[in-house]
Amino acid sequence: GQNIDQPTEMTATEGAIVQINCTYQTSGFNGLFWYQQHAGEAPTFLSYNVLDGLEEKGRFSSFLSRSKGYSYLLLKELQMKDSASYLCAVVHSWGKLQFGAGTQVVVTP
Amino acid sequence: DGGITQSPKYLFRKEGQNVTLSCEQNLNHDAMYWYRQDPGQGLRLIYYSQIVNDFQKGDIAEGYSVSREKKESFPLTVTSAQKNPTAFYLCASSMADVNEQFFGPGTRLTVL
């Protein structure tokens, strides 16, 4: 089967760190994307992992363990503008993406 | 500027009417996709096209139709056979053999 799980919602304060986990079970795997989506807007690209390990890009980092079917997105030094939904998406054989339901991150002052 | 456009941003239709959503890209991308997003759910693939004049059904194609007569354009028709058409529709495109997809701004369709 194909299944992608991520928490529904997470709340953190401004300046803090939040880690969003994503676990997946898929028949084909060619990488994993993280997208950010503000309400009513299009998803925007954050990161892409295809090999195991940590990819760091400014305040955002993404980690992948293919053997465990596990990824996380780490958001550091949270800002109010980081309040959004974060989508985990697994790439299948030809480039088809399968999305998780998204994690709504709420940043409080 | 290069990008993907979808129009209109908001669309209202009466039940039983077909409606066509526009998607245009000037990124010279070969592949284009249509997704549907419902509240609290992830994106679900409706149709995709890897080259002109060819397209494939995604996970929830029933009640929808598409065409790909030009590389730049991939319109989606929501037919009266779609039982629950009210949703946020997103179009995306990507280069051939490259996984990253770029998304348009979306069209919110409400069927009354």
Side-chain angles (χ1 to χ4, degrees):
Chain A
Q2 300 174 347
N3 202 36
I4 300 176
D5 291 312
Q6 47 182 134
T8 304
E9 185 173 312
M10 302 182 76
T11 301
T13 55
E14 211 172 356
I17 298 173
V18 70
Q19 177 174 316
I20 306 169
N21 296 326
C22 172
T23 59
Y24 62 88
Q25 296 171 331
T26 65
S27 54
F29 181 84
N30 286 277
L32 187 145
F33 280 98
W34 283 97
Y35 281 88
Q36 180 191 60
Q37 186 181 26
H38 286 98
E41 297 182 9
T44 55
F45 169 81
L46 289 178
S47 69
Y48 175 59
N49 294 68
V50 65
L51 300 176
D52 290 351
L54 185 68
E55 297 274 346
E56 296 186 86
K57 190 184 296 185
R59 293 188 300 114
F60 293 178
S61 303
S62 57
F63 171 83
L64 175 67
S65 169
R66 288 171 297 171
S67 63
K68 295 181 180 178
Y70 168 69
S71 173
Y72 68 72
L73 179 70
L74 195 68
L75 284 62
K76 303 176 195 173
E77 301 169 19
L78 277 174
Q79 302 175 9
M80 297 300 292
K81 67 179 181 180
D82 297 330
S83 290
S85 182
Y86 292 83
L87 309 175
C88 170
V90 170
V91 183
H92 292 283
S93 54
W94 58 266
K96 178 180 172 182
L97 299 185
Q98 183 185 0
F99 285 83
T103 298
Q104 184 67 42
V105 170
V106 178
V107 182
T108 59
Chain B
D1 280 11
I4 305 176
T5 57
Q6 292 183 243
S7 60
K9 190 164 178 64
Y10 298 95
L11 189 56
F12 296 88
R13 279 294 181 269
K14 291 184 179 179
E15 196 172 337
Q17 290 181 333
N18 290 358
V19 60
T20 298
L21 280 58
S22 162
C23 178
E24 303 279 331
Q25 54 96 3
N26 61 4
L27 299 167
N28 200 32
H29 285 171
D30 293 299
M32 297 187 75
Y33 314 81
W34 273 106
Y35 293 92
R36 169 186 174 133
Q37 188 174 34
D38 294 283
Q41 295 191 37
L43 280 64
R44 292 184 290 168
L45 183 65
I46 304 172
Y47 268 98
Y48 61 96
S49 168
Q50 293 175 280
I51 57 171
V52 175
N53 292 321
D54 186 53
F55 49 82
Q56 306 294 330
K57 291 183 179 180
D59 300 319
I60 54 165
E62 186 176 350
Y64 299 97
S65 66
V66 293
S67 62
R68 186 86 186 277
E69 297 174 4
K70 298 187 299 182
K71 188 175 185 178
E72 302 80 19
S73 178
F74 191 40
L76 173 75
T77 297
V78 184
T79 75
S80 56
Q82 168 50 233
K83 292 182 171 48
N84 187 18
T86 294
F88 187 47
Y89 290 88
L90 285 158
C91 178
S93 69
S94 68
M95 292 172 61
D97 299 328
V98 174
N99 293 317
E100 183 181 348
Q101 294 181 16
F102 295 82
F103 287 85
T107 292
R108 187 167 297 281
L109 173 65
T110 302
V111 175
L112 306 171

